[in-house]
Amino acid sequence: MRHAGAGKSGAADGPRARRADPSREELQLPLAPSPPISVASTRSSAPISGISLRVHSDLDEVRDEWKAFEQRADRTVFQTFDWLAAWQREIGAKSGTIPAIVLGREAGGELLFILQLAVETRGMARRLTWLGWQLCDYNAPLLAEQFSDRMSAERFVLAWQDVIQLLRGNPRLRFDLIDLQKMPEAIGAQRNPFLDLQVLPHPSGAYVANLGGDWEAFYAAKRSASTRKRERRQLKHLAEHGDVRFVDVKGRDDIAATLATLMSQKSRALARMGVDDFFAKPGRRDFFNAVVTDPALQDVIHVSRLDVGSTVAATNVGLRFRDCYYLILSSYDDGELSRFGPGRAHLQELLQYAIRCGFRHFDFTVGDEPYKHDWADTELKLYDHLAAATAWGSLIMATTTAFRRTKRVIKQSPVLWRAFSKARAFAGLLGRRQDAKENATK
């Protein structure tokens, strides 16, 4: 196996000065005591938590402070400003999503947290969500290193009540339902304070492999001798079709072309599974094209592929953040080469790449695909927080909670999940056959 290119993890851009826009959405809650409020309250009062709060709906207004804070804050890779700004530009703004970025400070002005929230309309309801939550595997606030020392669980719950009151005090930011999904138990070295609210388990989990420093030792620990022998044989079969190369993709044009191949391969794979095309939803192709070619994210984004001769046999988009490599998108060619496991061969190259680059963890992110269990030794449990703010929101909350609990039961039962997956794939096959018949008669 030959390799092309090299990668590294690194820093983000420094701050840039921006002029304030007098039309920006900005609300502030000063420091003073007040009685508790309910989630559905619309009363205007000073904070009961002793935290000074400011809300921005214009991302440009918080860009510099957010980018400076993210360098030292406990967070996940998905709370990177440039990632979420691209989401809002390519998807959120076009669908009417309004950012509600909350900055919380101590009395002395010290920034303790950023909550990257948003108000979106789905169906007939307005929901308070995490900004860009659909394309973030983990949703969580950005926390100052000293957050846990300054904020007890009780104080955070009071601060959250203050946040809800502040948002609902603005007609543009009112909502029927709070729907915060895919929240991890920990943020960096700190416990996620949102777990002190009422939460329920998210239907899916996430999986992480602790890598160590030696690929051969890691590989031997994960795969039996007979499996390793079979995989070496498959790799030889791949090599019979051309030179096998792991390519660390560089250059804007090559990155864009590799992403186009990935989206095409992935769309076909989803169709075979009977799953809706992930990239067919409005703005998603534009979003991924934007982030993979954004110079501000070049140290975070990693694009690679496995070439077999002139065929792009497998592709990947990953994220590099601190001591972890995140696998977020992957695909493989569904032609003749698929018999020899190009996706598996590419994944092994990615694991070797992560070890060479000094990453301690390889995060397979959200999803319960069986192959993840072959490599991961840690399961990350994720949680959702649902709360009603109106009577209409209460009705939606009840149906949403029942649906997600049922979904979790199915996904956490191997028998039920296999049966569901087979039924879904069969329905997809029937749909494709029907489409083919209709096209043939045109």
Side-chain angles (χ1 to χ4, degrees):
M1 178 81 65
R2 295 198 292 112
H3 296 77
K8 64 180 181 179
S9 59
D13 289 350
R16 294 188 301 180
R18 286 182 177 266
R19 184 173 58 188
D21 180 353
S23 66
R24 72 178 185 267
E25 186 65 54
E26 181 179 317
L27 302 175
Q28 187 170 12
L29 201 60
L31 289 166
S34 74
I37 61 172
S38 68
V39 167
S41 172
T42 59
R43 290 186 293 119
S44 177
S45 60
I48 55 180
S49 61
I51 298 294
S52 176
L53 300 172
R54 186 178 292 271
V55 180
H56 296 264
S57 287
D58 184 348
L59 292 180
D60 283 344
E61 286 298 318
V62 293
R63 180 187 190 278
D64 295 344
E65 190 161 20
W66 185 336
K67 287 178 73 79
F69 189 60
E70 73 181 33
Q71 296 300 308
R72 62 183 186 277
D74 280 334
R75 61 182 180 92
T76 85
V77 66
F78 298 102
Q79 283 75 65
T80 302
F81 175 87
D82 294 300
W83 176 273
L84 291 174
W87 183 91
Q88 178 61 19
R89 182 177 65 251
E90 302 296 344
I91 299 175
K94 298 173 184 177
S95 62
T97 297
I98 304 172
I101 313 302
V102 181
L103 278 65
R105 301 180 185 278
E106 281 281 27
E110 183 179 12
L111 185 59
L112 281 182
F113 59 78
I114 295 178
L115 311 181
Q116 72 292 355
L117 302 170
V119 176
E120 65 178 31
T121 300
R122 263 189 281 160
M124 298 175 64
R126 285 165 60 85
R127 301 183 185 228
L128 180 67
T129 67
W130 294 108
L131 182 66
W133 66 272
Q134 300 96 329
L135 299 183
C136 297
D137 283 80
Y138 307 125
N139 296 293
L142 295 87
L143 304 178
E145 292 176 299
Q146 69 279 13
F147 175 88
S148 296
D149 296 331
R150 306 288 180 83
M151 293 286 285
S152 65
E154 294 77 12
R155 192 184 185 199
F156 177 76
V157 171
L158 295 178
W160 180 242
Q161 291 177 346
D162 290 335
V163 169
I164 298 307
Q165 176 185 316
L166 181 59
L167 296 178
R168 287 185 53 75
N170 180 353
R172 291 188 67 224
L173 299 178
R174 288 178 184 169
F175 48 87
D176 300 296
L177 178 72
I178 303 169
D179 187 2
L180 306 178
Q181 298 188 44
K182 296 184 292 185
M183 298 188 295
E185 293 179 297
I187 307 169
Q190 303 187 69
R191 183 176 185 273
N192 187 346
F194 277 85
L195 267 61
D196 293 316
L197 306 178
Q198 187 172 4
V199 297
L200 65 155
H202 186 71
S204 299
Y207 299 88
V208 178
N210 297 296
L211 296 174
D214 181 78
W215 159 250
E216 293 299 336
F218 177 78
Y219 184 38
K222 296 295 182 181
R223 312 296 275 170
S224 67
S226 60
T227 298
R228 297 198 304 274
K229 181 178 180 180
R230 182 179 69 251
E231 291 175 347
R232 286 193 296 269
R233 186 165 59 248
Q234 288 181 319
L235 190 59
K236 289 181 180 178
H237 287 313
L238 279 176
E240 292 171 359
H241 292 77
D243 189 22
V244 180
R245 297 187 305 129
F246 175 76
V247 182
D248 187 359
V249 183
K250 303 293 184 182
R252 183 185 182 93
D253 291 344
D254 200 7
I255 288 174
T258 300
L259 178 65
T261 300
L262 184 154
M263 292 191 288
S264 177
Q265 291 176 344
K266 193 71 173 179
S267 295
R268 293 197 300 272
L270 293 173
R272 291 193 300 274
M273 295 167 59
V275 178
D276 291 339
D277 188 351
F278 174 84
F279 296 107
K281 295 185 177 181
R284 291 201 173 181
R285 288 178 178 269
D286 292 335
F287 167 77
F288 282 107
N289 273 307
V291 294
V292 300
T293 58
D294 186 351
L297 288 168
Q298 64 180 349
D299 290 325
V300 176
I301 299 289
H302 177 244
V303 178
S304 71
R305 66 175 187 262
L306 188 77
D307 288 349
V308 179
S310 60
T311 301
V312 177
T315 60
N316 148 262
V317 174
L319 303 177
R320 302 174 292 205
F321 179 64
R322 296 177 180 167
D323 65 352
C324 188
Y325 186 96
Y326 297 78
L327 179 66
I328 61 169
L329 293 173
S330 61
S331 69
Y332 62 88
D333 180 73
D334 58 355
E336 182 182 1
L337 296 180
S338 63
R339 296 184 296 136
F340 308 120
R344 173 205 47 78
H346 187 210
L347 175 58
Q348 292 187 14
E349 288 296 324
L350 281 173
L351 289 163
Q352 293 182 64
Y353 166 87
I355 290 173
R356 289 196 306 272
C357 291
F359 292 104
R360 295 175 56 197
H361 312 289
F362 191 98
D363 194 329
F364 292 90
T365 63
V366 177
D368 298 295
E369 293 86 348
Y371 81 92
K372 296 180 180 181
H373 297 277
D374 294 338
W375 300 99
D377 47 32
T378 301
E379 179 180 358
L380 302 181
K381 297 184 182 300
L382 304 175
Y383 297 88
D384 299 345
H385 170 62
L386 286 165
T390 65
W392 178 237
S394 296
L395 178 60
I396 298 172
M397 176 182 169
T399 57
T400 301
T401 300
F403 171 77
R404 290 183 187 169
R405 283 177 173 163
T406 302
K407 183 178 179 180
R408 178 171 174 80
V409 168
I410 294 173
K411 296 197 78 170
Q412 297 303 313
S413 167
V415 174
L416 291 176
W417 182 241
R418 281 196 299 270
F420 174 81
S421 299
K422 289 179 180 178
R424 183 177 61 185
F426 181 68
L429 176 62
L430 292 180
R432 292 195 302 278
R433 286 178 176 175
Q434 183 62 32
D435 291 341
K437 289 181 179 178
E438 292 177 356
N439 291 331
T441 60
K442 290 180 179 179

